[in-house]
Amino acid sequence: MKSIAVFCASSIRSKEIYKEAAYNCGKALAKKNIRLVYGGASVGLMGALADGALEAGGDVIGVLPHFLDRREIAHKKIEMIRVKSMHERKLKMHELSDACLTLPGGFGTMEEFFEMLTWAQLGLHEKPNAILNVNGFYDSLINQFDVMVMEGLLKEKHRDILLIDNNIDALIDKVLNYKAPEVKEWLKKKRL
Ligand code: AMP
């Protein structure tokens, strides 16, 4: 495992506990020699994440659309790839990484998280998808996944693709040991 894409909030109004979790996530990846791929912002949890990785001597690569340059305030100390659109950003982050990890965030984070998860569900890639449930932030979302399974709208084997932990080191270990479920042959041909 060489690189992990991390999705998280750009908001600057986050509680300290989430900023700390983002910072520690960056640090934990760097310590395991895993390159961080993220959205390239210097603000919010995204900024804390990159700072944690940089301060622990890690490699960081940002993927930022030109039009978000001012809003998300591009991080100055990282290698940056500029793209034209949000679609391009997501695809580039996917191409550059071997797994994705989601920290607390808002709609943008959820959009990125679900896109990667549904691509995995379709068998378009076999990369692990992980969620850091720090401070129970995602309890209700995880509960909703159980509701989806109970109501017959989500297959249990698809719900089980998702790796969850509240501890970053334990979560990274789960990512490193992940084995993708078997998918149908015709789906394999469509891989991204
Ligand atoms: P948020 O969780 O809303 O703070 O957003 C986190 C990050 O997701 C920010 O860098 C947003 O620019 C980004 N984002 C929002 N929507 C999308 C999208 N459709 N594709 C890729 N990134 C997105």
Side-chain angles (χ1 to χ4, degrees), residues 120-126 155 157-158 161 178-188 191:
Q121 177 179 257
L122 288 169
L124 297 176
H125 69 78
E126 289 194 325
K155 288 185 180 156
K157 68 171 185 183
H158 289 146
I161 288 174
Y178 175 77
K179 294 228 178 347
E182 276 301 307
V183 295
K184 295 189 178 86
E185 282 306 314
W186 65 269
L187 276 171
K188 279 189 190 163
R191 287 231 160 108

Side-chain angles (χ1 to χ4, degrees), residues 56-115:
D59 260 2
V60 180
I61 184 156
V63 184
L64 189 66
H66 297 284
F67 75 94
L68 279 179
D69 220 68
R70 284 176 60 193
R71 190 159 140 198
E72 296 194 355
I73 316 175
H75 204 297
K76 298 279 184 296
K77 297 185 186 155
I78 58 164
E79 182 187 342
M80 191 76 85
I81 295 181
R82 304 286 174 168
V83 289
K84 293 200 187 84
S85 68
M86 303 310 259
H87 291 304
E88 214 185 313
R89 182 195 226 182
K90 246 176 332 201
L91 190 57
K92 183 52 83 183
M93 288 175 74
H94 171 72
E95 285 167 357
L96 289 171
S97 59
D98 308 298
C100 66
L101 202 163
T102 298
L103 307 182
F107 281 170
T109 304
M110 286 294 89
E111 201 277 341
E112 294 168 313
F113 164 72
F114 278 114
E115 181 104 71

